[in-house]
Amino acid sequence: MWKDSNYSYSNTIGYIRLSDTTTICDSPTTSNRETQLVEHQVGAVYAMGKVSFTEELKVFFSFELPDCDAFPTFVGPSRVIDRREKILTTQVDLPPLTWIPTEEERFMRFTDGLIAPHRATQATEVAGMDGKKDKRMAAENRIVVPSITSSQRLQLIPSMDHKPDNYEDMQSEFSPLLFSSLERHLPPTLLNLSRDHKAHYMRQILLRYSPTAERARVQKHREYRQKIISNYQPLHRELYTMHAASFFVPSFLKAVNENTEKSFRSIVSEPFTGVLTFEMLQPRFCEMLLAEVENFEKWVRETKFRVMRPNTMNRFGVVLDDFGLETMLDKLMEDFIRPISRVFFSEVGGSTLDSHHGFVVEYGMDRDVDLGFHVDDAEVTLNVCLGKQFSGGELFFRGVRCEKHVNAKTQSEEIFDYSHAAGRAVLHHGRHRHGARATTSGHRINLLLWCRSSVFRELRNHQKDLCSWCTECQREKKERQRQCVAAIKLVGATEKRRSYYVAV
Ligand SMILES: O=C(O)CCC(=O)C(=O)O
Ligand SMILES: [Fe+2]
């Protein structure tokens, strides 16, 4: 635990999490004013150093490490490590805020397993296949580094045997799901407090991750939804709560009920690595949802309501969460998509999906015709065709890419096209680059659920090497290994030649 009263700081202090595997002597050392403390916890190590600010609002940490064999691997945006001197300095970019820390705000948290809320919903368009760059609308999911008092913290390791409270009926700017998943990360002494106390504690922490502008946006969106929900009359009320037996086909239900890798593999085809397809929705459910969407669109036209479209790339289609389907879709994600994703997409937070963006996209000659090449603002995307009659509209996939490599060239082995069929789901990595070809006749309407994991996003902000799933990262790594092997071989061959000459 932090014991800040034990130390007197002359200046602003920050702390950084080092990698979990690091072993550092945990006795505090104080040499040359800069080293303050190295704290050791199970699964997390914190090191602390003097912080100074430059004009560009950058923080510099520098501290001497205590004498020990293991050298920490730094987990942070940038690092400079000098092994010989045992000096570790790093530079951490801060968001461009006029952030002037007060005495109480001496602590900045860079990582602690804390869960950050999501930003606005945007697909990121990627360079077209002709190599031309479309305008790029990157989803800004960078963590905002707030000030923090040392007393309010979450635990990195969740209390898995604790059953969290239900926060559904609680009025808050944060999702009830977020509270439920955070609750396991509360310090053990708080777990048995009243729901209100726990919510208050978690809210204080969440607020630090949610800047004022973001909170205003969330508030506006809540009002927007409220306006719709209090005026729109649903057509099929039975859609608004989960009725699994009438929504899903029996094979899908059976696999989810069994909830084993084997059961999922028995219903899933993987026509291309990372693209899973399976029968999912009953025709009756598809019909009802199509009728509900039509009914909603009719209401929008009649009332001239200024409706928000699903994302930056669609001019048609509606956000299902905005007119009352959020709870049902939450259930869909939690009870059906998360179990499958746990098996097939664990490397991108498949088992910790905790929020979603649910919408339908509509294509046809009088609607959007096609959809440009992009990645989703999602860890895992569910895309199910609801019908109706159409031709064309194939999904094209072109390789999974991390942020850094989103525009990297497509390799021939990454090309895959998929034709939609009504009721059949496609589940793919959100960063699997894709687009939809022109729907050449009829209408095509698809249900999309962009599923996100705040835990994964939080970790991604701090761990650079969380991209094992990016095919370009893999390719670069292989290339480095190849060069390394070639260099070793060359050295070996030179040595051999030299010893031959010596022998001769
Ligand atoms: O039209 C489709 O099937 C793809 C839709 C899609 O990729 C999206 O909305 O993110
Ligand atoms: Fe997409």
Side-chain angles (χ1 to χ4, degrees), residues 186-300:
L186 284 175
T189 48
L190 301 187
L191 289 175
N192 295 321
L193 292 186
S194 72
R195 191 181 75 151
D196 283 354
H197 273 102
K198 286 183 288 193
H200 175 75
Y201 187 93
M202 290 186 279
R203 186 172 172 272
Q204 292 309 308
I205 292 174
L206 287 168
L207 285 176
R208 294 193 293 256
Y209 276 68
S210 169
T212 318
E214 174 63 8
R215 288 218 292 280
R217 190 193 65 79
V218 170
Q219 178 58 24
K220 247 178 117 183
H221 195 201
R222 187 171 305 118
E223 285 161 16
Y224 165 84
R225 270 192 190 173
Q226 203 47 51
K227 222 182 262 173
I228 298 178
I229 288 165
S230 46
N231 289 296
Y232 171 66
Q233 290 299 320
L235 180 67
H236 292 296
R237 289 206 179 266
E238 58 269 50
L239 286 175
Y240 290 72
T241 36
M242 174 57 73
H243 297 290
S246 57
F247 289 5
F248 305 122
V249 296
S251 56
F252 178 72
L253 267 181
K254 183 167 174 285
V256 174
N257 285 336
E258 285 175 27
N259 195 6
T260 60
E261 178 167 351
K262 190 162 168 243
S263 67
F264 290 127
R265 288 201 186 278
S266 74
I267 58 157
V268 155
S269 335
E270 195 169 2
F272 189 77
T273 313
V275 180
L276 311 174
T277 77
F278 47 93
E279 288 302 323
M280 185 180 174
L281 298 177
Q282 295 219 14
R284 173 77 190 125
F285 173 84
C286 295
E287 278 162 29
M288 281 199 301
L289 189 54
L290 287 173
E292 190 67 52
V293 168
E294 219 162 276
N295 190 53
F296 178 68
E297 296 267 30
K298 186 165 155 267
W299 175 82
V300 167

Side-chain angles (χ1 to χ4, degrees), residues 274 276 340-350 380 427-429:
L276 311 174
I340 307 184
S341 304
R342 182 176 53 80
V343 172
F344 297 102
F345 298 102
S346 59
E347 74 286 9
V348 286
V380 179
L427 196 67
H428 63 84
H429 193 308

Side-chain angles (χ1 to χ4, degrees), residues 150-167:
S150 57
S151 57
Q152 276 169 328
R153 294 181 62 194
L154 295 172
Q155 296 213 121
L156 184 70
I157 299 171
S159 312
M160 287 316 285
D161 40 0
H162 173 77
K163 192 174 174 318
D165 266 315
N166 184 330
Y167 294 84

Side-chain angles (χ1 to χ4, degrees), residues 371 374 376 434 450:
L371 185 66
H374 68 282
D376 299 335
H434 61 284
W450 286 0

Side-chain angles (χ1 to χ4, degrees), residues 1-9 28 30 36-37 48 106-107:
M1 296 296 286
W2 288 102
K3 290 196 190 90
D4 46 333
S5 55
N6 284 359
Y7 302 91
S8 57
Y9 307 127
T30 13
Q36 290 292 324
L37 168 74
M48 225 167 132
R106 292 168 309 180
F107 291 92

Side-chain angles (χ1 to χ4, degrees), residues 26 28 33 38 64 66 79 100 105 110 118 166 171 173 202 237 263 282 305 317 345 371 381 407 437 439 493 501:
D26 39 359
R33 289 191 339 249
V38 176
E64 244 179 45
R79 63 185 168 189
I100 301 165
E105 292 173 337
F110 285 91
H118 299 298
N166 184 330
Q171 288 291 316
E173 64 274 61
M202 290 186 279
R237 289 206 179 266
S263 67
Q282 295 219 14
F305 189 83
F345 298 102
L371 185 66
T381 295
N407 287 313
R437 295 199 195 289
T439 293
Y501 285 127

